[in-house]
Amino acid sequence: MSTPPPSTRERYAAYADRIADVSPTYAAWARSLDDDLVALLDTVPPTQRQPELVFAVARGLGADPSDPAALRALGQEARPALVAALTTATMQANDPRRLAPLVPVIAALAARTARSLGLVDVGAAASLCSFPDRVTLDLRVHDAGVGRGEEHRLVRTHTAPAEPSLRLTADAWGTVPSPSTAAIRVAGRVALDPHPVDLRVPGAFDRLVQAVPPEATDRTALMREAARVTLAEPPVRITGRVPDDLDRALDALPADCEPVVMTAGTLVYVPGAGRQRFVDRVAERGVHWVALERTGILAGVASTLPDGIDPTDPASFATVSLDGVALAVCDAFGTATRWFRDPSL
């Protein structure tokens, strides 16, 4: 018998526990749900009830996250406006930290081919994760059994060949990828999203960061740096969804390149049947697929995980995979990764 999905109240309680150390204000909002607000959220589709999406919409409607009662008040005083906004809202907050576990995989792919890569970022939003080649990545490599913040070695894993670039540092354990000895060469990049964000539009960045907890000023600053990179190296933007528009995105790449499809926290928003059709179509096209997706949502990838991986463990929230084979597990943001396969081997 399958386990029923968590209720809205359970979903928000779990979110509050997960976010409390990072954002006390968002944790307080998540714990502030009363029966009326739960009933309101239950009138919109499940994909529109995500805490970050709801909170971004609430802030856009004027709710102050520093006031724990503001979310309930909005539900009472502006119910029609809140429901209408939630029905059409999209989750657009890219987190460029997720590039940290993807860069070593893409660098390994680049080293294997004489052709430059053609990148298709699926669910690109504002394309803050569309430029692995422009990331200088340092890994804090910990020995087995050593926790974050303890003794470690700092290893430069990839160096961006040009500016502007993004500098990331992340923790790593296990069979850590070998450092790249060459830059990732990119011939073209395509951003595929149902609602692609053009950061050249006034106010676009400000709307993007409404989904970021107000305490996360370092994350907002990193997003701003990522925005500088993507504005300097803009992708071809295609409005569309997977699996239906995957072929159109791939066909927009330059002819003489090595196509690589990237998904980072995207496929959880694709219904199960469509998710499998996407996986099948990637295989049919014979292109590489680099993914950072929630652990367990892709049955084929999950079957390649080592024994003992617990999808409910925050440290194993997401799985890093290449062409459907799991390489590592990490936290939700890619800041701490346990590797069990070196993508360069």
Side-chain angles (χ1 to χ4, degrees):
M1 181 181 298
S2 61
T3 304
S7 67
T8 298
R9 194 179 294 280
E10 291 169 338
R11 188 175 181 180
Y12 275 70
Y15 174 82
D17 291 342
R18 190 167 70 247
I19 200 74
D21 291 341
V22 176
S23 176
T25 58
Y26 270 16
W29 261 10
R31 292 178 177 131
S32 74
L33 269 66
D34 57 12
D35 291 344
D36 287 343
L37 193 51
V38 169
L40 182 152
L41 293 176
D42 283 343
T43 66
V44 299
T47 55
Q48 304 303 104
R49 299 174 206 160
Q50 304 166 63
E52 294 94 339
L53 178 64
V54 172
F55 298 166
V57 167
R59 291 173 70 178
L61 292 173
D64 180 358
S66 67
D67 179 1
L71 196 63
R72 287 198 309 270
L74 186 68
Q76 294 166 358
E77 299 166 7
R79 186 183 184 94
L82 181 57
V83 171
L86 285 175
T87 301
T88 58
T90 58
M91 190 65 190
Q92 296 281 42
N94 291 154
D95 194 326
R97 293 177 297 176
R98 288 177 173 167
L99 279 167
L102 298 181
V103 167
V105 184
I106 294 169
L109 281 178
R112 294 179 197 170
T113 177
R115 299 194 294 175
S116 295
L117 304 184
L119 303 177
V120 174
D121 185 2
V122 174
S127 300
L128 301 189
C129 293
S130 297
F131 50 86
D133 52 311
R134 290 290 191 110
V135 173
T136 293
L137 175 65
D138 290 322
L139 294 182
R140 287 186 291 255
V141 179
H142 303 261
D143 294 329
V146 176
R148 193 190 311 201
E150 303 294 337
E151 185 179 350
H152 63 268
R153 296 174 286 115
L154 197 65
V155 177
R156 175 64 53 88
T157 304
H158 180 260
T159 302
E163 295 293 340
S165 66
L166 192 69
R167 285 165 173 77
L168 295 175
T169 302
D171 292 280
W173 292 262
T175 309
V176 177
S178 304
S180 172
T181 56
I184 300 169
R185 292 166 291 109
V186 173
R189 65 191 86 226
V190 173
L192 176 64
D193 194 274
H195 308 280
V197 177
D198 186 348
L199 292 174
R200 295 172 298 182
V201 175
F205 183 82
D206 293 337
R207 289 190 294 274
L208 192 69
V209 297
Q210 282 182 335
V212 178
E215 297 93 340
T217 54
D218 55 343
R219 181 174 163 192
T220 301
L222 189 67
M223 291 173 68
R224 196 175 299 279
E225 289 302 305
R228 289 181 59 245
V229 179
T230 199
L231 284 169
E233 191 80 14
V236 174
R237 295 183 190 85
I238 293 181
T239 301
R241 303 175 183 272
V242 292
D244 297 342
D245 297 295
L246 178 62
D247 285 328
R248 188 156 59 96
L250 285 167
D251 293 342
L253 290 172
D256 188 24
C257 70
E258 187 75 23
V260 178
V261 175
M262 304 189 310
T263 66
T266 300
L267 298 180
V268 70
Y269 304 114
V270 178
R275 197 180 300 154
Q276 188 56 50
R277 284 198 294 128
F278 164 81
V279 174
D280 293 342
R281 188 57 185 153
V282 168
E284 290 164 1
R285 287 291 300 250
V287 299
H288 291 296
W289 170 35
V290 177
L292 175 65
E293 296 292 344
R294 183 149 191 177
T295 298
I297 69 163
L298 298 164
V301 173
S303 70
T304 68
L305 284 166
D307 293 338
I309 299 296
D310 180 4
T312 66
D313 182 353
S316 301
F317 182 90
T319 297
V320 184
S321 63
L322 170 61
D323 298 336
V325 177
L327 303 174
V329 290
C330 64
D331 63 2
F333 303 109
T335 64
T337 303
R338 177 159 67 92
W339 295 87
F340 33 80
R341 295 185 178 96
D342 184 343
S344 65
L345 300 180

